[in-house]
Amino acid sequence: MTAEPRLDLDDIQAHVVPGFVQEHQRLLGWRLPDDDPATAARALLATVTGRVTSASAGLTYRAARQGLATALAVSLSPRTLLALGHADLASIDEAFAVGMSRRTYLRDPPAARWTVGGPGREIDILIILAGDDTTLLDDATAEILDSHTGCDLVHDQAARRLPGDVEHFGFRDGVSQPALRGVIDEAGTPLVPRTPMPPMPDHREYARPGDVLVWPGQFLFGLPRQSETDPVRPAAARPVPALARNGSLLVYRKLEQDVPGFLADTARMAAELGIDPADLRAQLVGRHPDGRPLVNPAATTRAELNDFNYDATDPDGLRCPLSAHIRKVNPRDQETDKGPPAATLTFAILRRGITYGEPHSPERGLLFLCYQTDVTQQFELLAQRWANNPERPRQGMDNGMDLIIGRTRPGTTRRARLLDGEVSTMADYVHPLGGAYLFTPSISALRALTTPESPHPPPPTAR
Ligand code: N7H
């Protein structure tokens, strides 16, 4: 068995691993001026670099809820990396280099209509602050807003977790996450505690029942990635510049949720099928509102909520429809158009989303945030290739579309095959309002990037 790599928790940003748990967040998006962007970028980064929260501080806070007044994360656009003299990092990933607004196959509204990151308001530096105490969070935010750096504030978004960690459609979120492989000390203590388990029929390994282990290079540059054919073995790290090590790629999308539209349209579909609307909504998600999966509704404990697979219990979608959101974006132990179940582990993402807006307000939804090291093969594959396509992820079967996040072209119909029959709609319940693809550097890289004379002196001029 290959040894798992040591993870440098003092270098990795806490928003990547283990994620922020605080109740409140504030996202500040800045645009660099065209005139001397490097000076402005360095000035803004100088005010926050010393305050970036490490994974070790994040883990301590998660365990004890003390030790941090506010947590902070920083992410950068390709334009910022170019301004700082790092073309190599700016082109580290194709989708990131091109930018979210050019990824037309996501079927987003034209960027001119975006409220986040539209033309002239693209986010070059994203600062995410988090806190349980709103006064401390406001103070930390004000300090950054008051610093005069020459950068323009183009996005200022508050977010708050809803009680019970539900999202605005009323479903519990944040249940299923991949468990990172890796150790955190000389003694070989794993980052994610392991529960001894017998070998599983799907040949995958779990930190505890349901929480499948994934090699950390899927989420952090410079570390071993997941093999596409063997669920337990690593593949070589993606070749990247040294400064990318322990960094990650962030997908940020502001997704507005039309809750009245969702409730009315799902009630209509339920009436057509003669079933309870709550039952129909659970079939669209793949879980009940309290998080119980449709394939194991007897689950009660937090651990049991994620302890399920599909191949043995429900291969053809007779208990949980193939079109259910969680099944479209994670078919778990089932073969897909991309190959054996091992391949599915390479598409995993670390979800760090948080709800925004008050219940009953028309402006509410999810700030969808996720980390990976390949935006095309991870976020985009799930959100477009699988969610939007009835022929995937199961080959040769009618999967239907993911009616929660899937999108069709205007004027066309989306349909899903549920347990009691087929449903279709012309409505979208989730409206993308914009966002950005960003690079979230390690803490040491952030320091190096903001120091003008290091780490890459300009090449000597030819004589
Ligand atoms: Fe989804 N929802 O309320 O229906 N999501 N999601 N998501 N999502 C999940 O299992 C939701 C979105 C994933 O491993 C749950 O933790 C909503 C995007 C993945 O079994 C619920 C929105 C993408 C999983 C929701 C939204 C994903 C997942 C169950 C938008 C991009 C894990 C809770 C407003 C690819 C699946 C849980 C697994 C779970 C909802 C967006 C992906 C309730 C409302 C854009 C990978």
Side-chain angles (χ1 to χ4, degrees), residues 167 169 171-177 253 255-257 285 287 306 308 310 325-327 329-330 332 349 351 365-366 368 378-379 382-383 404-405 430:
E167 51 67 55
F169 293 149
F171 288 83
R172 183 163 168 180
D173 205 354
V175 182
S176 177
Q177 293 280 10
R253 288 165 71 74
L255 301 176
E256 193 161 270
Q257 291 175 250
V285 174
R287 291 186 185 273
N306 208 33
F308 64 94
Y310 298 113
H325 171 55
I326 65 162
R327 198 159 178 172
V329 292
N330 186 3
R332 297 191 178 219
I349 51 175
R351 289 181 302 133
L366 182 73
F368 177 84
Q378 294 176 267
F379 164 72
L382 305 183
I404 301 287
I405 65 162
V430 170

Side-chain angles (χ1 to χ4, degrees), residues 33 51 61 113 140 259 268 274 276 289 329 345 365 380 396 425 428 462:
R51 295 194 239 166
Y61 189 80
R113 298 221 306 267
V259 180
R268 171 197 52 89
D276 181 354
V329 292
L345 297 178
E380 289 186 351
T425 181
D428 284 343

Side-chain angles (χ1 to χ4, degrees), residues 30-386:
W30 304 84
R31 174 85 179 147
L32 302 182
D34 291 333
D35 187 20
D36 200 357
T39 303
R42 285 200 185 95
L44 179 59
L45 294 176
T47 67
V48 291
T49 297
R51 295 194 239 166
V52 174
T53 310
S54 67
S56 38
L59 281 166
T60 307
Y61 189 80
R62 189 173 269 249
R65 288 270 171 167
Q66 59 185 30
L68 276 180
T70 49
L72 189 146
V74 178
S75 303
L76 313 171
S77 71
R79 187 163 170 255
T80 305
L81 293 163
L82 282 172
L84 296 173
H86 284 276
D88 52 349
L89 291 177
S91 58
I92 193 169
D93 176 84
E94 193 203 329
F96 164 68
V98 168
M100 199 169 86
S101 64
R102 304 250 191 93
R103 309 299 275 182
T104 46
Y105 78 158
L106 292 174
R107 303 181 184 177
D108 287 344
R113 298 221 306 267
W114 290 7
T115 57
V116 185
R121 300 185 313 280
E122 293 92 347
I123 296 174
D124 286 323
I125 299 181
L126 180 71
I127 298 173
I128 305 180
L129 294 120
D132 280 319
D133 181 320
T134 46
T135 313
L136 294 177
L137 181 61
D138 288 348
D139 289 351
T141 309
E143 239 179 273
I144 297 168
L145 292 175
D146 290 346
S147 58
H148 298 284
T149 60
C151 300
D152 287 334
L153 184 69
V154 289
H155 180 54
D156 183 352
Q157 175 72 55
R160 181 184 189 171
R161 295 189 195 288
L162 295 176
D165 264 335
V166 295
E167 51 67 55
H168 283 285
F169 293 149
F171 288 83
R172 183 163 168 180
D173 205 354
V175 182
S176 177
Q177 293 280 10
L180 253 71
R181 289 185 188 268
V183 301
I184 57 173
D185 55 25
E186 290 285 313
T189 310
L191 171 73
V192 184
R194 311 283 163 91
T195 306
M197 288 173 64
M200 298 297 285
D202 63 2
H203 306 295
R204 306 197 297 179
E205 286 179 357
Y206 294 81
R208 66 176 181 186
D211 294 353
V212 69
L213 286 162
V214 179
W215 289 86
Q218 297 306 126
F219 316 106
L220 294 163
F221 287 115
L223 292 164
R225 287 165 61 85
Q226 185 70 37
S227 156
E228 287 177 12
T229 50
D230 185 324
V232 300
R233 284 191 182 282
R238 199 175 169 185
V240 287
L243 216 55
R245 192 184 166 86
N246 292 333
S248 190
L249 292 168
L250 173 64
V251 170
Y252 170 36
R253 288 165 71 74
K254 183 170 179 180
L255 301 176
E256 193 161 270
Q257 291 175 250
D258 174 8
V259 180
F262 173 74
L263 295 177
D265 205 33
T266 48
R268 171 197 52 89
M269 294 190 287
E272 283 169 17
L273 291 181
I275 63 171
D276 181 354
D279 181 14
L280 182 128
R281 290 174 196 131
Q283 291 188 39
L284 295 186
V285 174
R287 291 186 185 273
H288 294 281
D290 59 7
R292 285 176 300 122
L294 261 56
V295 293
N296 180 17
T300 47
T301 63
R302 170 72 183 72
E304 284 169 353
L305 291 183
N306 208 33
D307 182 15
F308 64 94
N309 268 321
Y310 298 113
D311 218 40
T313 45
D314 186 30
D316 300 330
L318 302 179
R319 297 166 75 179
C320 174
L322 298 178
S323 59
H325 171 55
I326 65 162
R327 198 159 178 172
K328 285 286 269 184
V329 292
N330 186 3
R332 297 191 178 219
D333 62 338
Q334 292 206 287
E335 194 172 292
T336 74
D337 61 310
K338 298 291 283 180
T344 300
L345 297 178
T346 67
F347 314 137
I349 51 175
L350 292 177
R351 289 181 302 133
R352 300 294 181 236
I354 182 165
T355 43
Y356 75 90
E358 294 301 317
H360 309 298
S361 134
E363 282 162 22
R364 60 180 141 160
L366 182 73
L367 304 182
F368 177 84
L369 295 143
C370 76
Y371 285 103
Q372 59 256 285
T373 46
D374 186 334
V375 171
T376 310
Q377 287 302 319
Q378 294 176 267
F379 164 72
E380 289 186 351
L381 183 133
L382 305 183
Q384 166 51 21
R385 186 184 168 97
W386 280 359

